[in-house]
Amino acid sequence: MGRAPTFGKSDAIILLTLLGATVVIALPILEGGYRTYIDNSVHVAEIYELSRGTEWSEIAFTGFPAKLLHSPLWFGALATLVSWGVPLGPPYALMCLIGFAAPSLAIYWVARQRISKWGAATLAYLVLVQPTMAWGIGSSLGGMWTSAIGAALAIVFADLIAPSRASLRRHVAAAFVLALIGLTHFFALLIAVLLVIATAIDHFVERNFSIEDYKLRVVVWLVAATASAGYWLGFLMTADLEAAGKDVMSFTELAYRLLLPTDAMLIIDHRPEQAVHYGLHLTDALPIAGLVVLGVVGRAFFRKQQDTLGRSGFLVAAFLLVGIAIEPYYPLPFLGPVSWRLLFWVRLGLALAAIGLVGRISFRALERAGAPAAVAAALAAVGMGLWWGRPLRQQATMPKNELADVESLWRWLEENRDEEWGRIYLQDSFGPGWESGAPISRSHLLVLTYERLKLPQLGSYYGVTPFHTRWTMGEMGQLFTGRGWNDASLRGALRNTNAGLLVVSAQETRARLERVGKSFDRLYQIGRYSVWRDREAKSAWINPLRPTNEVSGVQMRGSEIAFDVKTKFPRARVLVKSSFHPSWHLEGPPGSTLRESPVGHLVVDNIPVGSYRIRLRYEDDPLPRRLGWAGWVLLAVGGALSWRRKRPADEEKTPDEKKPDA
């Protein structure tokens, strides 16, 4: 770990260059892609839900915990702004840009402490223009901006823990960053754990391991884990409900994804040859393959120029790459349902490993040329953003007629709004037409219907979800995750979810419905969208399951469900068409219980003979939140103590410390 450099005008130019290139590449996001491109629509809908203080959301599935899936820190902050009356668009678009730029800025910061500013700038720019960060599934601008912010924080965290011995102040700073990581993205927390392990291994191998120092590290890391318990502990407490399918890649597919600008959707579909953007590979493959080569060569041949940060970064990258490669044959649950997305972290680990090699490159010619040459290079780098960003412009620029059709659909739904619909099933526009490059095929736009109607809905959401009721999804041209439905099965699925209205967005689905949907009437059509209703459908939130059970007085109020039931036989049961979760609490007759049905819905069981008013109330478990507050109090105390303590001048020096060039 080197001393923090003295920043000057050249550093300001470099940072402005990185930010300028960020804006140029991300222009389609600022022009509306923040609301339409890939997963952004879903995140916007979730933030609107959180802004209302909702704990149980009805924007997808048959309800789910609104606070479970995504960053409580950043989503919570945006939701707070919305609750204060701030329009969501500008701050959300800004966060997309911050997430996109953050990893490259973090790389510049840690590299600048070890090598010259021009070397650090080169490496940071190389990270910024990685195609997989700018466009496509898993990209920062495609909705994974919290993951990218978590990546930047993880890089800073790795830098803070790199010295084998450090001051209390540094340990507390690392704990603070770790807590932020834990509240930012679940993937980032996994990487932080791997960085801790990799750093400890490096200290041990390099004979810099200090037992006393690691005792203090473990304490502050545990405090940081406690501070972020409000996020990760909620996942662990409901692990038995997490049933997401796994997408894995073969060795060949992994090589395509790692070294070429590819469409992840087609690789997942095992069509790697079609996934390559051949019009891009001569240029856009350069930063992808270049970063891999720099990282591998830097680790293999420039070991003396590396410190703990570079070595631990390479170790994490290698571990993840091997894990992703063998997962089709030996499943590794801790890698999550979409392990190939961790290639993002592989690239960043290789970037850390490349710092020593890039530091050996001479930039004297640029330094001698002076300020005019630096400004010209900066303008060229920013202007090149138009080149690096062209795939995003093609994918994220939504045609006006598509937006007009969606607006017309929403107006019709508003004008004909009927509580008797129950839920609305929205077939997702995401998927059909993907090969053609149609921007609407890369959008979950219909999920924003809830913000217009405030009626429960399902069908439109992104695919990587941990819920048992994910079988209700409608992306990729499917209805209820299937294509082989018939009239009877479709009616049954809609009634089982109390979805009285069906919105179809795929032409193939509409054609099939016209052919086999004898029980359905078409009520409206605009562009690709058509609205259908089962002519015999009636809203029924509770299924009595037996004719001898009578249900009445049903009230559905988000996180509260109430109904009257009259039974004639003991141990009766009824089914509530809402997703099961252990945080649902039952208030009913003595002996009655709450359990999960085979399809993931609520079942009130063991109801005795008689007439009863049954209430179900969803309430998040307070334990993670309380632990979180306790952790932050401890961090604050540790920060105060470390600030008052005088730090010896040589406390943070390590054998591999290097002074950066000016």
Side-chain angles (χ1 to χ4, degrees):
M1 164 63 195
R3 293 293 182 185
T6 301
F7 282 86
K9 293 181 180 180
S10 298
D11 293 285
I13 292 175
I14 291 168
L15 293 175
L16 288 175
T17 299
L18 293 173
L19 293 175
T22 295
V23 173
V24 172
I25 294 171
L27 276 176
I29 299 301
L30 297 176
E31 295 169 348
Y34 71 87
R35 189 168 176 262
T36 62
Y37 188 49
I38 305 188
D39 293 343
N40 285 316
S41 302
V42 175
H43 298 331
V44 168
E46 290 169 333
I47 292 167
Y48 278 131
E49 279 285 82
L50 293 173
S51 71
R52 288 184 280 270
T54 304
E55 291 191 345
W56 186 257
S57 174
E58 282 282 356
I59 63 173
F61 313 106
T62 45
F64 68 98
K67 299 177 182 179
L68 177 64
L69 281 183
H70 295 296
S71 171
L73 176 61
W74 304 105
F75 277 41
L78 291 175
T80 300
L81 291 178
V82 174
S83 69
W84 292 345
V86 177
L88 177 57
Y92 184 87
L94 177 62
M95 292 308 300
C96 289
L97 265 65
I98 290 174
F100 179 46
S104 66
L105 296 177
I107 288 291
Y108 182 76
W109 170 255
V110 300
R112 183 70 175 91
Q113 298 174 59
R114 293 161 172 82
I115 61 177
S116 73
K117 52 182 170 287
W118 304 116
T122 300
L123 194 56
Y125 189 77
L126 192 61
V127 169
L128 180 68
V129 299
Q130 293 290 305
T132 54
M133 291 185 63
W135 54 269
I137 296 176
S139 65
S140 306
L141 297 179
M144 291 284 285
W145 55 270
T146 53
S147 176
I149 291 175
L153 292 171
I155 291 168
V156 174
F157 174 70
D159 179 55
L160 288 169
I161 67 174
S164 58
R165 294 172 181 82
S167 66
L168 175 62
R169 185 181 302 178
R170 189 180 189 88
H171 285 315
V172 172
F176 179 79
V177 174
L178 180 58
L180 293 180
I181 292 171
L183 293 173
T184 296
H185 201 279
F186 208 70
F187 287 175
L189 189 57
L190 166 66
I191 301 305
V193 173
L194 293 179
L195 285 168
V196 165
I197 297 171
T199 300
I201 291 173
D202 184 80
H203 287 162
F204 183 80
V205 171
E206 298 294 324
R207 299 182 180 181
N208 291 326
F209 193 88
S210 168
I211 296 293
E212 293 302 318
D213 191 81
Y214 265 84
K215 287 180 180 178
L216 180 57
R217 291 178 189 235
V218 170
V219 170
V220 297
W221 291 340
L222 288 175
V223 172
T226 303
S228 59
Y231 189 24
W232 62 263
L233 186 56
F235 271 103
L236 296 184
M237 292 173 68
T238 59
D240 58 332
L241 299 182
E242 296 164 15
K246 292 183 76 69
D247 291 322
V248 295
M249 295 182 180
S250 68
F251 287 125
T252 301
E253 293 163 349
L254 185 59
Y256 271 90
R257 185 63 179 167
L258 182 64
L259 299 172
L260 294 172
T262 53
D263 193 320
M265 182 65 73
L266 296 178
I267 291 186
I268 295 170
D269 200 32
H270 308 297
R271 291 183 283 168
E273 295 83 3
Q274 299 177 38
V276 179
H277 284 249
Y278 289 99
L280 308 179
H281 78 284
L282 291 177
T283 53
D284 293 51
L286 292 177
I288 298 179
L291 188 60
V292 173
V293 170
L294 286 174
V296 173
V297 173
R299 181 68 184 98
F301 300 104
F302 291 83
R303 293 173 59 88
K304 293 183 179 180
Q305 283 72 37
Q306 286 189 329
D307 61 1
T308 297
L309 179 67
R311 292 189 294 266
S312 61
F314 183 85
L315 187 60
V316 170
F319 175 82
L320 288 174
L321 190 57
V322 171
I324 298 167
I326 68 173
E327 197 180 18
Y329 316 98
Y330 302 98
L332 302 173
F334 65 89
L335 293 181
V338 281
S339 59
W340 59 267
R341 292 199 184 194
L342 297 178
L343 288 175
F344 170 71
W345 304 91
V346 172
R347 301 181 203 283
L348 294 180
L350 292 174
L352 295 176
I355 291 175
L357 169 58
V358 175
R360 299 286 293 176
I361 300 174
S362 175
F363 293 90
R364 290 180 181 176
L366 182 60
E367 293 171 353
R368 290 172 180 171
V375 172
L379 292 175
V382 172
M384 280 293 292
L386 293 172
W387 178 263
W388 305 120
R390 67 201 186 287
L392 181 67
R393 289 195 298 275
Q394 295 169 2
Q395 295 181 4
T397 304
M398 189 71 69
K400 292 182 179 179
N401 66 300
E402 290 284 5
L403 294 174
D405 287 348
V406 174
E407 284 292 335
S408 297
L409 172 66
W410 285 340
R411 279 196 301 272
W412 185 91
L413 292 172
E414 286 176 316
E415 293 168 358
N416 295 274
R417 188 179 191 275
D418 190 344
E419 299 289 341
E420 281 299 309
W421 291 344
R423 289 189 177 94
I424 303 174
Y425 190 94
L426 302 163
Q427 185 187 34
D428 208 333
S429 59
F430 189 90
W434 189 274
E435 292 86 346
S436 69
I440 193 66
S441 70
R442 290 166 168 79
S443 178
H444 301 285
L445 184 57
L446 288 186
V447 74
L448 295 173
T449 303
Y450 187 85
E451 188 56 28
R452 298 287 290 265
L453 266 69
K454 302 297 189 297
L455 284 179
Q457 65 186 41
L458 69 162
S460 181
Y461 204 80
Y462 73 98
V464 184
T465 55
F467 307 119
H468 285 175
T469 48
R470 67 190 308 273
W471 57 270
T472 63
M473 294 179 59
E475 63 177 5
M476 309 307 296
Q478 302 177 98
L479 294 178
F480 295 97
T481 62
R483 293 186 177 88
W485 47 268
N486 55 35
D487 184 74
S489 64
L490 181 56
R491 289 177 67 197
L494 291 169
R495 292 182 183 184
N496 287 339
T497 54
N498 198 34
L501 202 71
L502 171 64
V503 176
V504 169
S505 61
Q507 182 177 352
E508 295 81 0
T509 306
R510 184 177 70 199
R512 183 177 179 84
L513 199 53
E514 290 171 345
R515 188 170 65 254
V516 304
K518 300 177 182 179
S519 303
F520 293 85
D521 293 326
R522 178 162 44 193
L523 307 182
Y524 178 74
Q525 182 169 331
I526 178 70
R528 69 177 65 245
Y529 306 103
S530 55
V531 182
W532 304 76
R533 181 162 171 77
D534 177 357
R535 65 179 65 95
E536 298 179 2
K538 294 182 181 179
S539 179
W541 291 102
I542 313 295
N543 184 347
L545 297 178
R546 289 183 177 179
T548 54
N549 299 332
E550 298 178 13
V551 176
S552 60
V554 179
Q555 293 180 326
M556 301 287 291
R557 297 175 179 173
S559 58
E560 294 184 2
I561 303 171
F563 58 93
D564 296 313
V565 62
K566 182 178 180 181
T567 65
K568 295 182 180 179
F569 295 96
R571 302 190 66 180
R573 64 181 185 273
V574 297
L575 183 142
V576 182
K577 299 173 185 179
S578 191
S579 298
F580 176 83
H581 191 278
S583 291
W584 278 107
H585 302 282
L586 170 65
E587 298 176 12
S592 58
T593 57
L594 194 62
R595 64 176 176 84
E596 184 179 9
S597 78
V599 297
H601 285 161
L602 292 161
V603 174
V604 182
D605 209 346
N606 297 315
I607 305 173
V609 176
S611 299
Y612 307 96
R613 183 67 174 173
I614 292 178
R615 291 181 174 84
L616 302 175
R617 175 176 48 84
Y618 179 87
E619 185 176 330
D620 288 329
D621 192 310
L623 177 61
R625 185 170 59 252
R626 291 171 181 172
L627 285 175
W629 283 115
W632 281 106
V633 170
L634 291 175
L635 277 179
V637 171
L641 292 175
S642 67
W643 192 260
R644 294 181 61 183
R645 181 181 176 185
K646 186 176 180 180
R647 182 180 62 183
D650 62 346
E651 187 173 8
E652 295 185 11
K653 289 185 178 180
T654 63
D656 58 4
E657 185 177 47
K658 300 175 180 64
K659 185 177 180 180
D661 297 336

